[in-house]
Amino acid sequence: MMKSKRGVTILLAGLFATSAFAQTITTNSLVIHADQKGSTISRMIYGQFSEHLGRCIYEGIWVEPDSPIPNTRGIRNDTVAALKALKVPVLRWPGGCFADEYHWKDGIGPREKRPSIYNSHWGGVVENNHFGTHEFLDLCEQVGCEPYICGNLGSGSVQEMMEWVEYMTGDSDSPMANLRRANGRKDPWKIKYFGVGNESWGCGGNMTPEFYADNYRRYNTFLKNYGNNRLFRIACGPNDSNYRWTEVLMSAAGRQMNGLSLHYYTIPSGNWSRKGSATQFGEADWQATLKSALGMETLLERHSAIMDKTDPEKRVGLMVDEWGVWYDVEPGTNPGFLYQQNTLRDALVAGVTLNLFNQHCDRVKMANIAQAINVLQAMLLTDKEKMVVTPTYHVFQMYSVHQDATLLPSELKCEDYVLRDQKIPGLSVSASSDKSETIHLTLCNLNPTCPAIINGQIQGVSAKTVSGRVLTAAEMNAHNTFDHADAVKPEPFNEARIAANGFTAKLPPKSVVVLELK
Ligand code: AHR
């Protein structure tokens, strides 16, 4: 039995005594406790990440004001509209590894006077700094999302980080606030989320947790709350299962932070030098990828348990500010640009991961998938003036019903998805109730060959209607291209019915389904 503290209890294997070879349809049961409300699912869990990496910022977002690609002040209109439609709540910037070599003063003032720098982390390309603080905050205003700025602790000074906060949020007659005004922005911006360094255990400085914790305390001391702006201070947290990092940070600096980050990437092969293709894979790769994605659950449970020791009230949020699938780059593309296609497999990874975040929303207060456009598990892919949305985009859109809703605890008894000597749970689910008491369930059938019957019981509410949408395709590697932009897209779901005390549904193999019960 796998047990999540506040989310879903999963009973695994053997319940339905089905042999791996006999599986043709699976039968599963679910109890939703609509009478026991959980925590709020912060909409920030549905956040995005945009780094100066490959074609995320340049091409994906920034095209210059004189571009033939329709834009507003240099920011392309199609990607903004797509992110807006996705209800993106928060966008992290400028990195990633790039953040710890980014000097913000290079990216302000007249664009033609800004210095060019060498992007040493990502492809060794020239970064002309045309997209800087003003452009990023303009982007956030156009999308309607909160900015999440990551400061440079690795190669920047305390003064530089302090002045950046003053530049953006200072409201008095001070040097940095006046510099901002001279650059055309009279009013201070509201900046809530501020990260103090990125991956300080690696590309951000190869620090020990003790050294970083001291540095965090020092830098954080000088990050001021100007006027009525209040920073939500995010310390660099661990990489996947580095539990010692969490122990040290929480005991040495827990009281000085509002959030601790966590990074975890899904690598299907588990081998960073041969990660595997985004589109050319078999069923064993499909299952291995989902198994790796499900590894997030252990990380959330164990890091959270460590945080509970010094923060039982759960004041400090676990901010999973980088996650997603990382494959080999598309053949023929710059290896430093991390450009990969996005298939139905990635939709399932997004579905199961978002269900886990929802289930752990008592501790997980933000997550930022890597990355929004043209990099890793992207929502959007662009090619010059063309843009296509990915299967992962559709999952984020379907799951947006959970944003700021109340988690409903649930118990899932599901059959395993067995392939040769490997098995994982066949289903994943999370449930919430929104302000109008409408219940939403997001369900994933991880099994690529067998449909799944779910007999759902809802305790405390008598639902009269059920409707839904489904994302699936004939092939595991189905994906959208610039020529076939709608190969994978959500369709109405007609396989759910109201039943005694709840509902029944039949999920197609390899599918993500959202149900609405009223
Ligand atoms: O998202 C790509 C990179 O992965 C980020 O720059 C870094 O923080 C992580 O290692």
Side-chain angles (χ1 to χ4, degrees):
M1 182 165 87
M2 281 174 28
K3 199 160 174 27
S4 311
K5 262 198 182 146
R6 300 251 167 106
V8 169
T9 304
I10 308 172
L11 298 167
L12 300 176
L15 284 161
F16 299 91
T18 308
S19 108
F21 305 102
Q23 276 183 322
T24 51
I25 188 161
T26 70
T27 309
N28 312 275
S29 68
L30 176 66
V31 179
I32 311 278
H33 295 281
D35 49 351
Q36 297 171 24
K37 305 257 158 100
S39 304
T40 299
I41 298 173
S42 170
R43 68 181 189 283
M44 299 301 159
I45 284 175
Y46 292 83
Q48 301 283 330
F49 173 33
S50 56
E51 181 168 9
H52 288 239
L53 191 179
R55 298 185 302 109
C56 181
I57 298 292
Y58 298 104
E59 288 189 39
I61 293 167
W62 180 257
V63 289
E64 303 286 348
D66 61 357
S67 167
I69 298 173
N71 69 84
T72 303
R73 296 180 292 280
I75 296 169
R76 61 189 288 171
N77 293 342
D78 54 355
T79 53
V80 165
L83 296 177
K84 212 170 168 172
L86 204 52
K87 297 196 185 130
V88 170
V90 61
L91 190 57
R92 180 173 183 248
W93 175 83
C97 295
F98 182 80
D100 278 297
E101 59 183 34
Y102 181 63
H103 299 285
W104 67 271
K105 284 185 183 166
D106 291 346
I108 55 170
R111 276 192 285 275
E112 64 282 2
K113 291 199 180 144
R114 296 183 192 174
S116 288
I117 58 163
Y118 173 71
N119 190 335
S120 73
H121 279 293
W122 305 119
V125 292
V126 172
E127 157 69 56
N128 66 12
N129 277 306
H130 281 198
F131 190 87
T133 302
H134 290 249
E135 291 78 12
F136 172 67
L137 294 171
D138 187 11
L139 168 69
C140 291
E141 285 175 352
Q142 290 187 36
V143 170
C145 68
E146 297 263 1
Y148 170 14
I149 305 268
C150 185
N152 177 351
L153 179 139
S155 71
S157 66
V158 175
Q159 182 181 359
E160 182 182 3
M161 196 184 285
M162 175 181 178
E163 286 184 344
W164 199 6
V165 175
E166 182 192 329
Y167 183 86
M168 293 185 288
T169 63
D171 63 347
S172 58
D173 183 15
S174 73
M176 290 302 116
N178 288 336
L179 181 59
R180 183 195 67 236
R181 291 181 189 110
N183 286 330
R185 172 80 186 197
K186 185 168 149 281
D187 296 329
W189 286 284
K190 277 261 171 278
I191 305 292
K192 182 171 179 186
Y193 299 106
F194 196 91
V196 184
N198 168 75
E199 297 196 349
S200 303
W201 36 262
C203 67
N206 281 303
M207 301 175 197
T208 63
E210 290 82 3
F211 184 76
Y212 172 75
D214 283 347
N215 271 283
Y216 171 81
R217 291 164 63 119
R218 177 168 169 241
Y219 277 69
N220 179 55
T221 303
F222 298 96
L223 303 180
K224 310 289 181 182
N225 290 323
Y226 297 95
N228 59 8
N229 192 69
R230 293 287 170 273
L231 294 177
F232 185 104
R233 296 142 195 277
I234 300 171
C236 167
N239 189 30
D240 57 52
S241 58
N242 186 349
Y243 299 115
R244 187 166 175 274
W245 186 280
T246 301
E247 290 269 7
V248 173
L249 261 289
M250 286 303 291
S251 50
R255 278 202 298 237
Q256 282 83 24
M257 67 177 81
N258 302 106
L260 183 71
S261 68
L262 166 67
H263 287 186
Y264 177 62
Y265 284 100
T266 294
I267 313 287
S269 67
N271 177 350
W272 278 90
S273 51
R274 274 190 302 109
K275 296 181 276 296
S277 161
T279 54
Q280 308 302 307
F281 59 86
E283 190 177 340
D285 302 310
W286 165 280
Q287 193 196 46
T289 307
L290 292 172
K291 186 172 188 172
S292 170
L294 288 166
M296 181 70 86
E297 175 149 47
T298 305
L299 300 179
L300 299 180
E301 282 173 358
R302 292 195 57 186
H303 285 295
S304 195
I306 294 167
M307 294 170 82
D308 284 347
K309 289 197 262 173
T310 48
D311 178 35
E313 308 299 326
K314 300 191 196 294
R315 187 190 61 80
V316 178
L318 187 59
M319 325 295 272
V320 191
D321 63 17
E322 286 187 33
W323 68 275
V325 178
W326 195 322
Y327 302 117
D328 293 334
V329 298
E330 288 303 307
T333 64
N334 185 330
F337 280 15
L338 310 186
Y339 177 75
Q340 63 191 38
Q341 247 296 356
N342 192 295
T343 70
L344 183 63
R345 173 174 61 164
D346 304 310
L348 268 294
V349 168
V352 303
T353 307
L354 292 170
N355 279 342
L356 289 172
F357 292 155
N358 290 346
Q359 290 157 20
H360 290 83
C361 65
D362 57 339
R363 179 64 82 178
V364 178
K365 299 297 176 193
M366 187 196 285
N368 308 76
I369 190 169
Q371 300 191 1
I373 309 175
N374 292 332
V375 171
L376 299 178
Q377 191 173 351
M379 307 299 111
L380 309 172
L381 304 177
T382 65
D383 180 13
K384 302 187 186 71
E385 76 291 352
K386 296 183 196 156
M387 184 200 79
V388 70
V389 307
T390 64
T392 299
Y393 177 97
H394 289 307
V395 171
F396 270 72
Q397 200 279 325
M398 291 162 75
Y399 277 56
S400 64
V401 291
H402 291 306
Q403 290 192 15
D404 287 339
T406 304
L407 178 74
L408 299 179
S410 46
E411 286 165 62
L412 173 67
K413 293 180 184 171
C414 75
E415 291 194 42
D416 282 335
Y417 156 37
V418 184
L419 183 68
R420 295 190 273 278
D421 61 342
Q422 294 293 320
K423 63 180 179 186
I424 58 176
L427 297 177
S428 150
V429 64
S430 67
S432 70
S433 170
D434 69 13
K435 287 199 179 70
S436 65
E437 306 279 307
T438 300
I439 294 175
H440 291 106
L441 265 70
T442 43
L443 300 142
C444 302
N445 183 2
L446 283 62
N447 192 318
T449 53
C450 301
I453 300 222
I454 299 195
N455 296 311
Q457 201 190 100
I458 303 177
Q459 293 190 346
V461 166
S462 167
K464 311 256 176 322
T465 63
V466 58
S467 58
R469 288 193 302 152
V470 58
L471 188 75
T472 188
E475 306 297 333
M476 292 184 292
N477 66 348
H479 55 277
N480 296 333
T481 64
F482 298 104
D483 294 330
H484 298 283
D486 282 337
V488 187
K489 68 172 190 340
E491 303 285 354
F493 181 63
N494 302 316
E495 298 285 338
R497 307 268 177 278
I498 292 293
N501 305 322
F503 69 95
T504 61
K506 184 178 172 194
L507 310 184
K510 49 177 160 26
S511 64
V512 179
V513 168
V514 56
L515 292 182
E516 180 169 293
L517 292 128
K518 290 188 192 183

